[in-house]
Amino acid sequence: MNGFFDWLPWLYIAAIPGITNIIVAFRELDRKCQLLPFFEPYKIPGVWLWAAIELVIPAASFWWMSSLSAKPAIDLNLLSKAATFGIGFAALLNSSTDPGSQSYQIKSIYTLLVRYAYDAIRASQIRRAAEFWLDVENALHQTTALIQGLRFLEIYLELDASIALEPSKTYADELAQAESTPDKYEQAKQIKSLLQKVKRRDLPNILIKFQFGDEFLSRYFSDRAIQASSDRSLRSIKATNAVI
């Protein structure tokens, strides 16, 4: 047991690239799961598998590449290398490598394991997500608040795009097309496509703007989720008014 505790300082160092990589990689995971409205990472076994992979593979790679088994001195330089390795781990895997290199083997193992994790996430989420978006489309056929909902959605999407780190994207054309499409079924599909760009935590509140009924909302969202979404919307409006 004492032998294990002797290795703890270097095990902690090896964990730094893994933890850093999880933080960096989660943005991509969240983007890929954008169309899954009930994606709650901490409740999904596949996400825990994904997190383990994103932690262990960079940690093991850094252990091997930095020869931590030799117990090098733990200093600021080693800590910086560990953090930098975690941040650049994805770029390392995507870099050009020889087929027989150790880096290629790491990439192959990593790709295979991450695929399993994504398969597990998809299997647990896709059925309910498909049912939800079909019901959204059907509910849009019946609502009498399309204009009101589209006006709010326009403001929401433009604000979201304006403060994003990526180059600003305008949804004006898509919104105009959705508003003017005469065919109700095609119009519902276009609005559904726009709703799929909404952050999942704000989705209940925006559906309320389209006057989705209590029965629909209670079927898919908890009262707490609806209240939290409404509170965020109210705070956003107050903050905007304060600036003006």
Side-chain angles (χ1 to χ4, degrees):
M1 183 63 70
N2 287 336
F4 171 76
F5 285 113
D6 289 342
W7 285 101
L8 274 181
W10 290 273
L11 290 172
Y12 288 142
I13 294 298
I16 292 174
I19 295 171
T20 306
N21 182 59
I22 288 176
I23 296 171
V24 173
F26 183 78
R27 182 179 176 85
E28 177 65 14
L29 174 67
D30 192 56
R31 185 191 66 78
K32 288 185 176 182
C33 296
Q34 172 66 29
L35 299 187
L36 304 178
F38 312 108
F39 178 69
E40 296 179 282
Y42 61 93
K43 294 183 178 180
I44 303 171
V47 175
W48 289 101
L49 173 60
W50 171 89
I53 294 164
E54 299 291 356
L55 173 68
V56 171
I57 298 295
S61 301
F62 185 73
W63 182 281
W64 171 74
M65 292 181 180
S66 299
S67 302
L68 293 187
S69 58
K71 295 185 176 180
I74 298 176
D75 53 20
L76 186 59
N77 183 50
L78 185 62
L79 291 170
S80 298
K81 285 182 178 179
T84 302
F85 187 88
I87 294 172
F89 181 71
L92 173 68
L93 292 186
N94 292 326
S95 63
S96 178
T97 57
D98 296 325
S101 70
Q102 185 71 20
S103 296
Y104 183 83
Q105 294 175 33
I106 293 171
K107 180 176 181 178
S108 299
I109 295 170
Y110 172 83
T111 301
L112 179 64
L113 292 176
V114 167
R115 186 178 296 125
Y116 280 126
Y118 274 109
D119 287 346
I121 294 169
R122 186 170 64 248
S124 70
Q125 295 284 299
I126 193 168
R127 180 189 59 79
R128 192 181 182 203
E131 290 175 352
F132 171 78
W133 288 118
L134 178 61
D135 284 349
V136 165
E137 196 172 314
N138 291 334
L140 287 168
H141 295 158
Q142 303 170 24
T143 183
T144 58
L146 282 181
I147 301 302
Q148 172 186 308
L150 283 169
R151 287 290 175 270
F152 186 85
L153 187 57
E154 177 182 11
I155 295 170
Y156 174 91
L157 292 174
E158 288 296 340
L159 283 172
D160 187 51
S162 69
I163 61 177
L165 293 178
E166 294 85 359
S168 180
K169 177 179 179 180
T170 177
Y171 298 97
D173 292 342
E174 294 176 68
L175 285 157
Q177 185 176 3
E179 185 175 337
S180 61
T181 299
D183 184 272
K184 286 287 185 181
Y185 291 96
E186 184 60 32
Q187 185 180 48
K189 288 182 179 179
Q190 291 171 355
I191 296 174
K192 179 193 69 176
S193 178
L194 286 163
L195 288 171
Q196 288 173 340
K197 305 177 192 301
V198 171
K199 288 180 172 58
R200 63 179 65 86
R201 66 181 187 176
D202 296 328
L203 191 54
N205 181 256
I206 291 182
L207 294 180
I208 290 173
K209 302 300 181 185
F210 282 91
Q211 292 187 2
F212 277 42
D214 292 340
E215 181 183 351
F216 180 97
L217 294 168
S218 63
R219 188 188 317 156
Y220 287 109
F221 303 102
S222 66
D223 291 339
R224 180 180 298 179
I226 295 171
Q227 184 61 45
S229 179
S230 298
D231 289 345
R232 274 190 295 270
S233 178
L234 182 59
R235 285 197 300 269
S236 177
I237 292 171
K238 287 182 176 179
T240 302
N241 290 338
V243 172
I244 295 172

